[in-house]
Amino acid sequence: MQQSIKLTVDAVVFGYESGTISVLLIKRKYAPFKGKWAIPGGFVLVDESLEEAVQRELKEETGIEIDYLEQLYTFGAPKRDPRSRIVSTAYFGLVKPSAFKIVASTDAEDVQWFDISELPVLSFDHDAILKLAITRLQGKITYEPIGFELLDTKFPFSDLEKLYTTLLGRAIDRRNFRKKMLSLNILDELDEKISKGSGRPANLFKFNKLRYFELKAKGIIFEI
């Protein structure tokens, strides 16, 4: 039997801000699932790579441009798309929503950030794609320090703890977490303090990107 398989890409873009995790979704303009919410994505053109395709589709449908998206998984169930046999390679990334202006265009009639705890019904098999992306993100941050770009340039250590507890969806051992983070030598403790609430002023920290990438190249060891 002759194969007739088409290829698409999907972009799961997570947002983190003020202790909330959200995901970027578009409302489909055309059938199938017209008027329903979905993960941004579309067909790969014959003259582009998968990476080029996912960046293009994300920009066209949401107005967002992201430097790096990590490949998540390839979804190829025979009946995942009612139009025909379509295989999709999904990507995911983590950003700060306030750093972007979202604009719906091309195949999207609307675009919106949704709290991952209050999601609408999703089109196709996008609920399965999103579920796997959440699992992968939570797994990744347990072995690699990520997400510092989501914090202010200078931040109290409590903000870093909040980032990790939110992304992991569970409590962490605060003393052990602080000890591990500081032992990595990727945080610079500043001679500045900030007051929050009625507690004592807290020291501010700054992420040392250069030292982090040097350690990453050597094979950084980190586990929460």
Side-chain angles (χ1 to χ4, degrees), residues 8 10 33 39 73-77 79-82 86-88 122-132:
T8 61
D10 289 302
F33 301 104
I39 294 167
Y73 192 74
T74 296
F75 296 82
K79 297 181 180 180
R80 61 175 300 275
D81 192 309
I86 297 175
V87 173
S88 181
L122 299 181
S123 309
F124 305 102
D125 57 352
H126 289 187
D127 55 341
I129 294 176
L130 181 56
K131 184 178 180 180
L132 183 62

Side-chain angles (χ1 to χ4, degrees), residues 14 19-25 37-38 112-122 127 130 134:
F14 293 111
T20 298
I21 306 176
S22 54
V23 66
L24 189 65
L25 300 176
W37 292 96
Q112 188 175 322
W113 291 100
F114 284 87
D115 188 314
I116 62 169
S117 64
E118 300 175 357
L119 293 172
V121 175
L122 299 181
D127 55 341
L130 181 56
I134 293 171

Side-chain angles (χ1 to χ4, degrees), residues 9-10 42 44 51 61 74 118 134 143 209:
V9 287
D10 289 302
V44 179
E51 290 74 22
E61 293 188 340
T74 296
E118 300 175 357
I134 293 171
Y143 63 81
K209 285 187 177 181

Side-chain angles (χ1 to χ4, degrees), residues 181-215:
M181 276 294 180
L182 295 181
S183 69
L184 290 172
N185 199 29
I186 58 175
L187 297 178
D188 293 332
E189 189 167 3
L190 307 175
D191 194 21
E192 299 178 45
K193 294 182 182 293
I194 186 173
S195 295
K196 282 191 173 185
S198 58
R200 294 185 302 171
N203 279 36
L204 291 176
F205 291 81
K206 188 174 183 179
F207 177 49
N208 191 314
K209 285 187 177 181
L210 178 61
R211 199 176 302 133
Y212 167 65
F213 286 114
E214 287 176 348
L215 289 169

Side-chain angles (χ1 to χ4, degrees), residues 25-54:
L25 300 176
I26 58 124
K27 182 178 286 187
R28 290 179 56 81
K29 187 183 292 186
Y30 307 112
F33 301 104
K34 184 181 187 305
K36 303 298 182 181
W37 292 96
I39 294 167
F43 289 96
V44 179
L45 303 180
V46 294
D47 60 347
E48 65 184 353
S49 67
L50 295 178
E51 290 74 22
E52 290 169 337
V54 73

